[in-house]
Amino acid sequence: NVGLDFGFNNDRFSGSIDVYQNETTDILLRTPPAAPAVDPFQFGNVDATIVNSGIELALGYDWIQKEDVNFSTSFNIAYNANEVQDFGGLIDTGAINGQGLSGAFAQRFAAGHSLFSYYMAEFTGLDASGQPTYADQNGDGVGDVFQDKIFVGEDALPDVTAGLSLNLNVKNWDFSSYFTGQFGFSVYNNTANGLFTSGSITNARNVTSDLLTSGEAAGTSADVSTRYLEKGDFVRFQNATLGYNWPLSGEGAFKTLRLSVTGQNLFLITDYSGLDPEVTVATGDLGSGVPTRGIDWSAFPNPRTFTFGINASF
């Protein structure tokens, strides 16, 4: 790690920049035990290295510095590249749930790829009869959802994360807010794959209205493919607080009195079709011990909350 901290004009403008590379070795995973064994697996260290490298930048500036008015902002952004190295095997991860999806998975742990890399067939659309079609990857002339799986170049780890905070004080009033964003990652919409397919219609289950006009034939199989893989980039208005410090003479029951209102998760900007791209559901690890990330399976969205507060000292 190499870092530089700086400040100018009595730190009115300040910041830091860090460049790093971190290597984690002896990865702890579930491995088959020696026979005979009571348990189907054991935890053991395997020969693999997880490399994280990137750069982080933080900036802050005090725009207004007056007796009754102060306004400052701070911004941070970070880029991180992740890769599995020195691993000789292949581990299927990211279990997908739903009717007709027993044993299905969407990710694979392998050298040369990042953690939580998506591994699946490439969906190419519906044919004239409404059946899904897939790209031919092995050169046999037939696109097969099981035989033509590949690493699709997407993973569940954001390449870029960023945050912006604003702070304003005007006499007895104060306001603070925070925006956050993540970019360069994908979410597998397991909810759409497992519930909202034409097969659900034939089984008298509820579906979304767009499926009725999609042109998909009734009763098609709901296989794992890039059809349900979506970009998860988002910007979220994470929180905001408005407060007022009530002026007191100091002769009453209270020495200080502050009133405030805080909002959490005020709005979300994203192209993801599900409820919230910032989601991780433990769908299963297929016995590998690799945790789940980036799979949306009937997840409850982040709530929007409002909190009113009174702080007093006696």
Side-chain angles (χ1 to χ4, degrees):
N1 181 79
V2 177
L4 173 67
D5 298 330
F6 56 87
F8 300 95
N9 193 15
N10 293 323
D11 284 339
R12 185 170 184 177
F13 174 55
S14 61
S16 65
I17 183 170
D18 290 271
V19 180
Y20 64 89
Q21 178 165 308
N22 177 272
E23 296 185 4
T24 304
T25 59
D26 298 325
I27 308 304
L28 186 65
L29 295 176
R30 291 179 178 178
T31 58
V38 176
D39 294 324
F41 64 85
Q42 64 183 6
F43 282 102
N45 295 101
V46 300
D47 292 330
T49 302
I50 307 297
V51 179
N52 286 283
S53 56
I55 184 171
E56 299 176 348
L57 173 67
L59 300 172
Y61 190 71
D62 296 327
W63 298 89
I64 302 175
Q65 291 180 326
K66 295 184 178 180
E67 181 178 356
D68 292 332
V69 180
N70 289 277
F71 176 59
S72 64
T73 62
S74 60
F75 173 75
N76 65 81
I77 188 169
Y79 169 80
N80 183 77
N82 176 277
E83 185 178 344
V84 179
Q85 297 180 357
D86 306 322
F87 182 64
L90 296 171
I91 301 177
D92 297 333
T93 64
I96 300 300
N97 296 332
Q99 186 178 16
L101 292 167
S102 299
F105 63 94
Q107 298 169 344
R108 175 169 277 186
F109 183 96
H113 301 274
S114 71
L115 289 173
F116 313 108
S117 287
Y118 291 105
Y119 181 81
M120 60 188 64
E122 183 181 351
F123 177 72
T124 55
L126 301 173
D127 63 17
S129 61
Q131 296 294 325
T133 61
Y134 306 95
D136 174 26
Q137 305 293 349
N138 59 12
D140 63 0
V142 179
D144 186 273
V145 71
F146 300 108
Q147 301 299 322
D148 290 306
K149 293 183 178 182
I150 60 169
F151 284 102
V152 296
E154 303 288 341
D155 60 67
L157 296 175
D159 296 330
V160 176
T161 57
L164 173 66
S165 63
L166 310 174
N167 295 278
L168 175 66
N169 294 86
V170 179
K171 294 185 178 181
N172 295 323
W173 292 90
D174 60 84
F175 174 79
S176 63
S177 62
Y178 180 67
F179 297 82
T180 183
Q182 295 182 9
F183 312 93
F185 74 105
S186 296
V187 179
Y188 192 82
N189 195 339
N190 190 178
T191 303
N193 190 184
L195 299 177
F196 305 137
T197 64
S198 65
S200 296
I201 299 177
T202 58
N203 291 319
R205 290 179 168 87
N206 292 327
V207 297
T208 53
S209 58
D210 61 306
L211 187 64
L212 302 177
T213 58
S214 66
E216 182 178 355
T220 58
S221 60
D223 298 308
V224 176
S225 73
T226 56
R227 180 180 185 180
Y228 304 102
L229 187 63
E230 304 181 39
K231 292 292 186 181
D233 298 2
F234 71 87
V235 173
R236 188 190 305 276
F237 192 179
Q238 187 68 48
N239 59 64
T241 298
L242 177 65
Y244 181 71
N245 295 299
W246 202 283
L248 300 174
S249 63
E251 298 177 355
F254 301 118
K255 292 183 179 180
T256 62
L257 179 64
R258 171 179 164 79
L259 309 178
S260 64
V261 57
T262 299
Q264 297 276 355
N265 189 31
L266 295 174
F267 65 75
L268 175 70
I269 301 174
T270 183
D271 288 333
Y272 178 59
S273 65
L275 295 177
D276 198 322
E278 193 177 15
V279 62
T280 290
V281 179
T283 58
D285 58 14
L286 302 174
S288 67
V290 178
T292 303
R293 184 183 177 98
I295 297 177
D296 183 359
W297 172 236
S298 300
F300 193 84
N302 289 318
R304 179 177 295 111
T305 62
F306 296 92
T307 305
F308 298 90
I310 299 177
N311 299 82
S313 63
F314 300 89

